[in-house]
Amino acid sequence: MTQQQPPWPSPRGNRWLILAILAFLHFADAAALPLLFSHIKPQINWTQPEMERWVIEEQPRSIQPHLEPLLHPNRSHNILAGDASDSEFLKRLVRQNQTASGRMLWNDVAGGDGLVYPPFVDQALKLFNLKQVAFEIENSLMSKVTCTACRAGTGMLQHQIQSGKTDTEIIRMITDYCTNLNIQSARVCQGVAQLFGSELIYVLKRVNLSPDELCSFVIGDGCADVYNPYHEWEVIFPPVPKPPRLADLPIPLEAAPFFKVLHISDTHYDPHYAEGSNAECNEPLCCRLSSGRPATPNAAAGKWGDYRKCDTPKRTVDHMLSHIAETHKDIDYILWTGDLPPHDVWNQTKEENLAIIKETVKQMVEMFPGVPIFPALGNHESAPVNSFPPPYVNQVDISISWLYDELDVQWRRWLPQSVTHTVRRGAFYSVLVRPGFRIISLNMNYCNNKNWWLLLNSTDPATELQWFIYELQSAEFSNEKVHVIGHIPPGHSDCLKVWSRNFYKIISRYESTVTAQFYGHTHYDEFEMFYDPQDLTHPNSIAYIGPSVSPYYDLNPGYRIYYVDGDHDSTTRLVIDHESWIMNLREANLYGYPIWYKLYTARAAYNMKALRPSDWNNLLNELASNQELFELYYKYYWKNSPARPTCDAECKKRLICDCKSGRSHDRKHFCAEVESKIDEESSKSWKSWFYKGLTNSYSLLSSITYLPKYLLGYR
């Protein structure tokens, strides 16, 4: 029997809109059906927007160390008194790299390339399985079923637009069919159609793409790889040779100073969570008074949260932060990788989301006074969810400035003034944390394939990646090591293939500079590997994907602690080790009080001598061949949730391949070898089981002194 695949509980606010569009097809005008798969593109009187002039080199940069190290009495490896001078420490670092210089990044900015950067339909309808499509869209597990549905739905929507239907008429039809086919409750259908319909229609009116091109753009390799010149682009690298790569990175010194770092992600705080409310409401988010009364006692929402589709109650967030402040008093800084609002994507407003951002920022300031916090923007902070127009979309009613301007105000509680311009432009920034150590926060919503605005022009939105290259090249010149933080992991299927491909090249070019990456979004406890694109035997970077605070869904709440190589002459700035902490939600609700505990420590649990990319790559190879080790990883991946499903061979291949693929929508390129190894091990296991069964049966028969003749073949 095929086992349930582990879901990706990352938010899918656009899911119900897509299903509603598909429902609309069942009642659509038959004469329009041949247009669904037509490759004839209508002429649209509209041109792609040009990138505005934004001179990266003229923007202010963080060049003064932002973090002042503290002496922790409980820590044996503090910075020595003689090393207290940042300037002396920086001089020693520079002396170790004689190539460091103050060269200009661009030889000639003005020269060279600039930075300005239908007979089939009846059969298709019969193949629609809306439940399967819903599951695949929600969990980012796309197949040909979803692809076919996307093409048909997109084609019909384009036809309705071209036939002169008004936005109001189209949205009303989508709402009616969504409700009549019981895809969702009436209020969810109406809310999603209103929130997302106008935006999607606005975009589709302005693009000249066929359904094949649109669906390939959104779904990726699950919907064929349709070449689309409008969405093919390359970043520009400066004419600076890549430093020679080392055979392997040095192992950090065990008795050296370190930084203790807290990583919090995907809080999804729900101010309307209600204990005892209905946790089985059949809507995208339950456990609210509006979810109705539970049909049975077992359907009631727990006091501290719930394993079903429910987000985090305030008491759980409060208790976790109090526990962290009391247990980890020596935290040096915090990584906060986004997704603060809940999953009620059908009725969110800008005002509500801003209120949650302000409230949670205020709480973090109060709980961790004086501790620097480095935030990254999640895909849920916008309203509607996943909607992040690039800077060239500057109309007052649809511009994203309402969010970015407020983020600048809130984040400035921790960040220097130099980040204001890039935060207000695109919610990304760069901060020098210590001499020779920088953190760069990226807005990963510009790689989000649920962000409809990228259909207009996906070419390096907000010039973020080109700015990223500038920051990394400047860091390389200054002999700085860099940690990258963001929300959506670049190898996740929610990240656009073209954006992810360019990002992968950047990491490869600056592998000697980027020593770690940190993301959230998936809600699981996992990681992603990066390799040299020209040599897949050479791992060059590791992305740590932190567990979610939200239990949404079937998960325990969790957070992570990292130990980062600190200030000393031989520092690598690598992650030395990390711990994952969780709260057992079932026991908390049963006994009325939560207990947070350390689930595991990476090096001890997986018997790793260090956490370099090569060490993680060795672990991946072991996971493929060692079933006992994989089951341990699977337990931690689910944060030891009692609600986790079993994992068959296909599930195992997908999870390990997810770890292997730091570049999205390119599984065939990275996963063939590991999938073959798993198939081979599965075959061995099956043969071993079959042989053992035969042996046991023979032994049993041999132990019986008398057998009836008919069992021996006699009549």
Side-chain angles (χ1 to χ4, degrees), residues 100-255:
S101 70
R103 290 176 292 172
M104 292 294 293
L105 176 57
W106 313 113
N107 289 337
D108 182 7
V109 177
D113 295 330
L115 295 180
V116 180
Y117 316 103
F120 306 105
V121 174
D122 289 335
Q123 297 178 19
L125 290 174
K126 294 176 183 177
L127 292 175
F128 286 164
N129 181 338
L130 294 184
K131 288 185 177 180
Q132 180 178 348
V133 172
F135 176 81
E136 290 181 359
I137 293 174
E138 182 174 4
N139 299 309
S140 297
L141 300 170
M142 306 302 188
S143 73
K144 291 183 179 179
V145 174
T146 300
C147 182
T148 302
C150 175
R151 289 169 176 167
T154 302
M156 178 55 71
L157 190 55
Q158 286 180 321
H159 171 73
Q160 296 298 322
I161 292 171
Q162 294 159 15
S163 64
K165 299 283 186 181
T166 65
D167 294 6
T168 303
E169 290 174 320
I170 296 173
I171 291 172
R172 184 171 61 247
M173 286 187 290
I174 292 173
T175 302
D176 291 343
Y177 295 134
C178 172
T179 305
N180 293 336
L181 290 180
N182 294 317
I183 293 176
Q184 265 296 322
S185 65
R187 63 173 183 164
V188 173
C189 289
Q190 181 177 8
V192 168
Q194 289 290 342
L195 275 175
F196 298 95
S198 298
E199 180 180 289
L200 180 58
I201 293 169
Y202 178 94
V203 171
L204 289 182
K205 284 180 176 179
R206 290 161 174 80
V207 297
N208 189 16
L209 300 174
S210 69
D212 283 356
E213 292 169 331
L214 285 166
C215 294
S216 178
F217 179 88
V218 174
I219 295 176
D221 57 359
C223 199
D225 190 9
V226 178
Y227 176 73
N228 184 347
Y230 286 107
H231 296 286
E232 288 293 331
W233 49 273
E234 303 286 344
V235 291
I236 304 168
F237 290 95
V240 180
K242 178 179 177 179
R245 80 183 192 196
L246 300 174
D248 203 353
L249 296 175
I251 295 177
L253 300 177
E254 291 290 346

Side-chain angles (χ1 to χ4, degrees), residues 372-431:
I373 299 178
F374 299 99
L377 181 64
N379 62 304
H380 266 264
E381 273 76 295
S382 184
V385 66
N386 298 318
S387 176
F388 295 88
Y392 60 75
V393 181
N394 53 17
Q395 294 93 318
V396 175
D397 56 333
I398 54 179
S399 167
I400 196 66
S401 61
W402 66 270
L403 176 60
Y404 292 175
D405 289 355
E406 186 59 41
L407 288 180
D408 179 47
V409 173
Q410 298 300 322
W411 290 359
R412 283 283 302 282
R413 296 170 185 254
W414 307 296
L415 304 179
Q417 184 177 357
S418 59
V419 308
T420 291
H421 190 80
T422 55
V423 170
R424 288 179 179 259
R425 174 181 172 81
F428 50 84
Y429 62 85
S430 172
V431 173

Side-chain angles (χ1 to χ4, degrees), residues 239-301:
V240 180
K242 178 179 177 179
R245 80 183 192 196
L246 300 174
D248 203 353
L249 296 175
I251 295 177
L253 300 177
E254 291 290 346
F258 60 84
F259 293 126
K260 187 174 182 179
V261 182
L262 169 66
H263 184 186
I264 296 177
S265 194
D266 297 87
T267 311
H268 291 293
Y269 156 56
D270 187 0
H272 303 294
Y273 185 97
E275 178 186 357
S277 60
N278 186 14
E280 298 177 348
C281 67
N282 294 319
E283 289 185 341
L285 183 66
C286 305
C287 296
R288 294 174 155 197
L289 291 177
S290 59
S291 303
R293 294 183 177 181
T296 65
N298 288 335

Side-chain angles (χ1 to χ4, degrees), residues 360-376:
T360 51
V361 166
K362 180 174 180 289
Q363 186 177 29
M364 293 291 283
V365 170
E366 293 172 350
M367 294 302 299
F368 305 103
V371 179
I373 299 178
F374 299 99

Side-chain angles (χ1 to χ4, degrees), residues 595-608:
I595 296 177
W596 297 86
Y597 67 95
K598 182 165 59 179
L599 178 63
Y600 76 99
T601 302
R603 286 175 62 182
Y606 299 130
N607 193 27
M608 303 170 72

